[in-house]
């Protein structure tokens, strides 16, 4: 990094202006300059490396601790485990019910992800493509939801759900996840549907397809890139939900991963079974990390597409 | 082609609208109504009490503490996170040595850094909070364990110390949000035309000048929306999750980490004061809206096209 470096052109001998700009740094440059560039580059890499370590080391520590005894976790936090013992993993998976929490999470997130994409794209398509009284109003009603604090609505929502008999149910949680994912999904997909060419849809309509059929067979396949972006965004958001289930889902059997882990951290903390706790954390952490490493281009593109422009 | 158009529109909008109105809009309107009642949440009976909850709130020390912490988070967190992220993104994209043919380039290995920095973003906030709760643990944690290995003694009781607890929470939130903005800003910087930098460097501009005169202005829209996004996160779900999970006896020693959303939650579901909880919720809404309005107003600049 050379935030404070003066560009080479100022330090060149007269007679060869501009020549060195395209050259690689240091080649044939005066010694002083090479030294300075070197120091600054060390600094820039140093800062970047420190942050990378700050990010990676805690995760690494969690994975290693899952294989260690409780004593070793504290006394030698950075030593490699003596042997690969999967005891703690078994304890976390079976006794601590991680398997059930995992299944609950998959059900809730699967259901809400599909629901969010189907309902969100239906609403967005209509709002983007059709002119009707109230179109703007409905659009802003949806989009406005992005900016208000969920906690405020959660108190009455708890009692709404209670009255409907949907408190502590997987279905209830799915519907709430969908509802709270709609603002961003509608916002994102509306602008996406506006960018798609109209001619294809018109051709389908002229050929006699109904609006519904045009949507499902022509427009949705064309909107695939947008659906993938918003799908990744919603997947991470719903998979990581903590506040909604904490308030609306207090039945121990229906817990999702985030809740199960918090429960595990409290109870294992009392029992002193730290390796069991870390195994639980790693079980919850690794699938998402692995998926991210494999699909990182898509994930990054999906998450930044919504936020840029 | 107009045949059945309205039936189609209604058919497509009815399900999403119904869900959204029942689970989002309706509770939201109700909460403002409940803030004027003495509803406990436990019994179905309640009465209108006018502004009683609001006067109570203004005299409530815990409310003022949580407001203070929430405002601190909303200001400090975006400042640190976005500042770090801009710095890292600039280094990754523009800060490298000049290589053959390219007037500006990122440092070597920038691809790796971007992947690594993004890790915390894909982890659940609950996982992050639990991980750091144990990292900060004075007896078993990685942080004191490492400090001890380095020869330090008298190690702090991080989350148990009222003076340190909130800073630990700020650190954790910075840890898990910076990476996203590094990647976001990198994407933004990559779309800035290279000849802007070329022209500036030919004119003798330093790297710092190119950053403040080219990169930052062209990225300003993204920075501003990032600022609003971060503030809403800090005032809402993320702030709640981290404080609720990490704090010793939720809210920290002597309420040193209580934030507004946590106080709403506790008033409603622990203390049986649903009416009062929604009053605090309304305060939270006003803080959030004020925050967004101020950032929008202060951040307004001439839009630059390129």
């Amino acid at each position: 990094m050379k935030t404070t470096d003066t560009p080479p052109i100022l330090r060149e001998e007269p007679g060869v202006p501009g020549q060195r700009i395209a050259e690689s740094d240091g080649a044939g440059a005066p010694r002083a300059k090479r030294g300075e560039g070197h120091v600054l580059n060390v600094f820039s890499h140093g800062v970047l490396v420190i942050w990378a370590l700050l990010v990676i080391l805690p995760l690494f520590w969690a994975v290693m601790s899952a294989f260690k005894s409780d004593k070793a976790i504290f006394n030698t936090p950075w030593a490699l485990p003596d042997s690969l013992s999967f005891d703690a993993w078994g304890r976390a998976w079976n006794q601590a019910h991680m398997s059930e929490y995992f299944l609950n999470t998959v059900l809730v997130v699967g259901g809400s992800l599909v629901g969010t994409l189907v309902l969100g794209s239906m609403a967005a398509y209509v709002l983007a493509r059709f002119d009707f009284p109230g179109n703007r109003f409905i659009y802003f009603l949806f989009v406005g939801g992005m900016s208000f604090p969920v906690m405020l609505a959660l108190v009455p929502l708890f009692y709404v759900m209670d009255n409907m008999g949907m408190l502590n149910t997987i279905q209830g949680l799915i519907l709430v996840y969908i509802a709270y994912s709609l603002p961003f999904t509608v916002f994102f997909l509306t602008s996406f549907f506006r960018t798609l060419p109209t001619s294809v849809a018109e051709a389908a309509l002229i050929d006699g397809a109904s609006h519904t059929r045009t949507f499902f067979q022509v427009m949705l396949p064309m909107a695939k890139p947008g659906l993938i972006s918003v799908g990744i965004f919603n997947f991470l958001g719903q998979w990581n939900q903590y506040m909604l289930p904490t308030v609306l889902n207090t039945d121990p059997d229906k817990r999702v991963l985030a809740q199960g882990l918090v429960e595990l951290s409290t109870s294992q903390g009392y029992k002193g079974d730290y390796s069991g706790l870390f195994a639980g954390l790693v079980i919850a952490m690794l699938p998402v990390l692995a998926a991210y490493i494999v699909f990182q281009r898509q994930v990054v593109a999906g998450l930044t597409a919504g936020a840029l422009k | 082609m107009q045949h059945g158009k309205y039936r189609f529109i209604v058919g497509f909008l009815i399900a999403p609208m119904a869900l959204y109105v029942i689970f989002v809009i309706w509770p939201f309107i109700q909460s403002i109504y409940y803030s004027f009642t003495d509803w406990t949440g436990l019994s179905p009976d309640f009465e209108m009490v006018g502004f009683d909850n609001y006067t109570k709130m203004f005299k409530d020390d815990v409310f003022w503490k949580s407001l203070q912490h929430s405002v601190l988070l909303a200001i400090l967190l975006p400042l640190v996170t976005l500042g770090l992220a801009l710095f890292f993104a600039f280094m990754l994209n523009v800060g490298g040595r000049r290589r053959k043919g390219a007037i500006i380039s990122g440092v070597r290995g920038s691809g790796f850094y971007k992947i690594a920095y993004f890790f915390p973003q894909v982890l659940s906030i609950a996982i992050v909070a639990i991980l750091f709760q144990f990292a900060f643990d004075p007896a078993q944690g990685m942080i004191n364990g490492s400090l001890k290995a380095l020869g330090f003694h008298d190690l702090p009781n991080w989350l148990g110390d009222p003076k340190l607890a909130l800073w630990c929470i700020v650190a954790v939130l910075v840890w898990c949000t910076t990476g996203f903005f590094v990647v976001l800003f990198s994407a933004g910087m990559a779309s800035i035309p290279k000849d802007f930098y070329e022209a500036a460097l030919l004119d003798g501009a330093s790297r710092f000048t190119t950053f403040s005169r080219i990169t930052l202005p062209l990225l300003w829209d993204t920075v501003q929306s990032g600022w609003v996004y971060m503030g809403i996160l800090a005032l809402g779900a993320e702030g709640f999750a981290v404080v609720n999970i990490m704090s010793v006896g939720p809210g920290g020693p002597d309420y040193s980490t209580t934030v507004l959303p946590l106080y709403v939650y506790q008033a409603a579901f622990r203390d049986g004061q649903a009416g009062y909880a929604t009053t605090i919720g309304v305060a939270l809404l006003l803080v959030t809206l004020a925050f967004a309005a101020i950032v929008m107003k202060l951040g307004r600049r001439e839009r630059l096209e390129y």
Side-chain angles (χ1 to χ4, degrees):
Chain A
M1 204 280 331
K2 295 188 177 175
T3 17
T4 54
D5 195 7
T6 322
I9 184 151
L10 290 184
R11 275 188 254 109
E12 263 159 9
E13 302 92 330
V16 282
Q19 190 191 354
R20 197 159 285 130
I21 292 172
E23 275 174 24
S24 70
D25 200 19
R31 189 176 295 157
K33 184 188 153 205
R34 187 187 301 182
E36 187 192 18
H38 185 66
V39 168
L40 283 165
N41 215 32
V42 166
F43 167 74
S44 75
H45 268 289
V47 177
L48 290 168
V49 165
I50 287 172
W51 189 260
L53 289 177
L54 281 177
V55 168
I56 294 169
L57 284 183
L59 303 177
F60 190 60
W61 171 67
V63 176
M64 282 201 313
S65 301
F67 291 106
K68 284 187 187 171
S69 73
D70 291 334
K71 207 173 151 205
I73 288 176
F74 177 69
N75 286 335
T76 48
W78 298 114
L80 287 171
D82 300 336
S83 60
L84 279 184
S85 138
F86 283 90
D87 285 357
W89 298 64
R91 282 203 306 278
W93 186 250
N94 296 316
Q95 288 169 27
H97 309 287
M98 287 298 289
S99 53
E100 289 157 41
Y101 303 148
F102 217 97
L103 184 69
N104 286 341
T105 310
V106 169
L107 283 178
V108 173
V109 173
S112 15
L113 192 59
V114 172
T116 305
L117 290 180
V118 171
L119 295 180
S121 58
M122 279 161 59
Y125 177 67
V126 170
L127 291 171
R129 288 295 178 127
F130 293 85
D131 228 1
F132 57 91
N135 181 317
R136 291 284 82 191
F137 173 75
I138 294 176
Y139 176 73
F140 284 114
L141 193 66
F142 271 121
V143 172
M146 283 196 290
S147 65
F148 81 70
V150 180
M151 202 63 210
L152 174 56
L154 277 185
V155 182
L157 178 63
F158 178 87
Y159 298 99
V160 169
M161 301 275 290
D162 200 13
N163 292 334
M164 294 168 85
M166 287 205 292
L167 215 51
N168 302 332
T169 62
I170 299 278
Q171 312 85 286
L173 213 50
I174 291 178
L175 293 181
V176 172
Y177 276 25
I178 296 174
Y180 281 89
S181 308
L182 282 177
F184 180 77
T185 310
V186 169
F187 166 74
F188 182 89
L189 287 176
T190 304
S191 50
F192 192 82
F193 276 123
R194 285 209 189 104
T195 64
L196 293 180
T198 50
S199 52
V200 185
E202 276 162 9
L205 284 171
I206 289 167
D207 286 349
S210 66
H211 284 297
T212 316
R213 191 170 160 161
T214 309
F215 172 72
F216 283 108
Q217 294 199 332
V218 179
M219 296 311 285
L220 263 195
M222 277 167 71
K224 209 169 139 196
L227 289 174
I228 290 175
S229 289
V230 82
I232 290 171
F233 181 88
N234 280 317
F235 170 77
L236 286 176
Q238 292 170 350
W239 182 268
N240 295 341
Q241 229 354 296
Y242 172 71
M243 190 153 79
L244 290 172
T246 301
V247 174
L248 301 173
N249 184 32
T250 45
D251 179 352
D253 290 339
K254 305 277 167 53
R255 282 197 185 113
V256 296
L257 266 180
Q259 290 174 289
L261 283 172
V262 173
E263 168 64 25
L264 189 65
S265 83
T266 321
S267 66
Q268 304 295 67
Y270 287 129
K271 278 190 240 157
D273 182 5
Y274 287 96
S275 49
L277 170 73
F278 283 110
L281 272 182
V282 173
I283 289 173
M285 206 161 75
L286 280 188
V288 206
L289 272 187
Y292 165 62
I293 292 170
V294 175
F295 297 109
Q296 49 98 6
R297 267 175 215 286
Q298 289 86 332
V299 172
V300 167
L303 283 188
T304 49
L308 270 181
K309 303 249 148 159
Chain B
M1 262 203 285
Q2 291 301 307
H3 176 70
K5 182 182 136 188
Y6 282 100
R7 214 178 56 189
F8 169 74
I9 291 173
V10 173
F12 260 39
L13 277 180
I14 196 142
M17 280 294 284
L19 272 185
Y20 186 61
V21 169
I22 293 173
F23 293 114
V24 183
I25 300 294
W26 175 232
F28 181 57
I29 295 169
Q30 268 185 312
S31 65
I32 291 170
Y33 164 72
Y34 283 136
S35 74
F36 295 102
T37 69
D38 64 355
W39 188 37
T40 58
L42 305 170
S43 87
D45 307 314
F46 57 84
E47 278 174 40
M48 295 295 290
V49 292
F51 281 92
D52 281 9
N53 283 330
Y54 288 88
T55 30
K56 180 181 169 189
M57 185 171 80
F58 282 115
K59 288 182 199 147
D60 183 350
D61 284 348
V62 181
F63 166 73
W64 287 111
K65 275 195 176 178
S66 14
L67 178 70
Q68 209 183 329
H69 299 150
S70 275
V71 169
L72 181 82
L73 281 190
I75 294 170
L76 193 66
L77 207 58
L79 203 66
V80 178
T81 305
L82 300 181
L84 274 177
L86 275 171
F87 178 66
F88 291 141
F90 188 74
M91 281 198 201
L92 289 176
N93 289 281
V94 189
R97 282 163 184 262
R98 286 176 199 87
R99 282 183 225 129
K100 235 175 232 161
I103 186 145
I104 58 149
S105 61
V107 296
R108 210 162 291 190
S110 63
F112 164 77
Y113 288 123
K114 278 184 225 169
I115 296 176
Y117 287 8
F118 204 75
F119 277 157
Q121 186 64 33
V122 298
L123 294 181
S124 151
I125 188 71
I127 294 184
V128 170
I130 296 171
L131 182 63
F132 276 95
Q133 186 195 356
F134 285 91
F136 281 123
D137 187 308
Q140 303 281 337
M142 160 190 82
I143 293 172
N144 278 359
S146 310
L147 288 175
K148 200 184 110 191
L150 290 172
F152 288 96
H153 300 285
D154 295 329
L155 301 169
N157 179 2
W158 300 98
L159 293 167
D161 185 338
K163 287 202 194 78
L164 293 175
L166 192 63
W167 300 108
C168 297
I169 282 165
V170 171
V172 171
L173 283 167
V174 169
W175 184 83
C176 67
T177 43
T178 299
F180 172 71
F181 289 102
V182 171
V183 171
L184 184 69
F185 293 153
S186 292
M189 284 179 194
S191 67
I192 296 174
K194 294 269 186 284
D195 31 333
F196 286 19
Y197 290 104
E198 202 164 333
L201 292 176
L202 277 173
D203 287 346
S206 69
R207 285 295 160 129
F208 181 74
T209 317
T210 58
F211 175 76
S212 61
R213 295 292 172 82
I214 300 177
T215 312
L216 195 56
L218 289 175
L219 219 58
W220 193 250
D221 273 355
T222 315
V223 174
Q224 200 187 355
S225 30
W227 195 285
V228 175
Y229 177 76
M230 271 306 297
I232 290 175
L233 269 188
L235 290 168
E238 232 82 342
F240 168 77
V242 173
V243 174
N244 192 36
I245 296 171
M246 274 177 59
S247 277
V248 183
D254 194 23
Y255 297 105
S256 55
T257 59
T258 313
V259 285
L260 283 176
L262 182 76
Y263 195 37
V264 176
Y265 173 76
Q266 291 178 339
F269 301 105
R270 188 192 64 186
D271 307 340
Q273 300 180 324
Y276 184 50
T278 54
T279 311
I280 306 162
V282 171
L284 174 61
L285 172 71
L286 294 179
V287 172
T288 311
L289 292 180
F291 168 79
I294 291 169
V295 172
M296 291 300 189
K297 182 105 184 147
L298 289 182
R300 186 169 297 156
R301 292 198 178 183
E302 216 170 307
R303 202 190 167 91
L304 295 151
E305 298 287 344
Y306 56 92

